[in-house]
Amino acid sequence: TAMQAILNSRTAMQAIILSQTALDVIRANNNAWPSFINSNALTRREVPPMTSNTTPEGIASASSSYGSGYEAFRAFDKNMSIWASAYGATTNQWLRYDFPVEVFVHTVEVRNRADSAAYGARNVRVQRSSDGINWETVAEVTLSNANTDPQTIYVSRSGYARMWRLFIVDNYGGSEAYIHELNFIGFQKEV
C-alpha cells in the first residue's frame, strides 16, 4: 500500500517527523500509528540498560535522590531497581536521560511503584530540551498506581532533541516519589 511505501522510506519518515500536521494524521489513525513507530526505515534508539549515571552511554540524572541505591540510573537499568526522590520531595521532581544524539521520541514507558502505591508518580509531563534549560512539554498524563505493568505514553510532537525527562508534578501521597523503570524510545536523527 501507499502507507507502507511511505513507512519504508527514510526520506518520507524524516519528513513526517518534521511535520506536525503529518504526525497528527498518523497518530489519529489506529492502524497507521503502530506501523509508524515500528518502521525500520530509521535507526531505532532507546535508553540502554544503564549501570551508572553515565554507563554505557548518555547521561541519567534526577532532580533529587533518596541516596545510595536510589540513583537516577536505577530507573533506566532494566532490572526493576528503584529511583526515589529525596525524602519529602514529592512534587516537581524529574528523571532525565540525555541521548548522545538527537532523537525523536515517540514512546515513553513508565513502570510505577505499585507495591507501595502512595509513592507512585501520579501527574506527569514528558518534556524535551535542546539546551537543558528550556523544556517543552510534549505530553501530559495521569499514571495509575494500581499495577506494576509498564504504562505507555505516546508522543507525537514533531522534531528531535537530545535531552528527555519525565517531570513528576506530584505523587499519590507518599514521602518520596518512586519510579521502577523508565524508557524513552524513538528514532535517531539521521545526518
Side-chain angles (χ1 to χ4, degrees), residues 91-107:
T91 60
N92 302 322
Q93 297 295 297
W94 49 263
L95 267 171
R96 169 178 163 181
Y97 182 75
D98 297 359
F99 285 95
V101 296
E102 289 186 288
V103 175
F104 165 75
V105 168
H106 54 64
T107 304

Side-chain angles (χ1 to χ4, degrees), residues 65-139:
S65 173
Y66 190 76
S68 180
Y70 297 95
E71 301 90 347
F73 81 90
R74 307 251 179 217
F76 301 106
D77 65 4
K78 312 249 193 288
N79 75 7
M80 292 296 287
S81 56
I82 299 168
W83 163 78
S85 65
Y87 180 79
T90 60
T91 60
N92 302 322
Q93 297 295 297
W94 49 263
L95 267 171
R96 169 178 163 181
Y97 182 75
D98 297 359
F99 285 95
V101 296
E102 289 186 288
V103 175
F104 165 75
V105 168
H106 54 64
T107 304
V108 179
E109 293 176 344
V110 183
R111 192 178 294 265
N112 219 347
R113 177 80 190 253
D115 56 335
S116 297
Y119 296 91
R122 183 171 57 177
N123 295 302
V124 300
R125 299 176 187 142
V126 176
Q127 298 180 320
R128 68 181 181 187
S129 176
S130 58
D131 60 12
I133 298 167
N134 301 297
W135 291 89
E136 176 189 10
T137 297
V138 295

Side-chain angles (χ1 to χ4, degrees), residues 6-11 13 38-43 187 190:
I6 290 169
L7 298 179
N8 287 329
S9 165
R10 178 177 165 181
T11 303
M13 286 290 290
N38 290 302
S39 171
N40 292 320
L42 298 175
T43 304
F187 299 121
E190 305 289 346

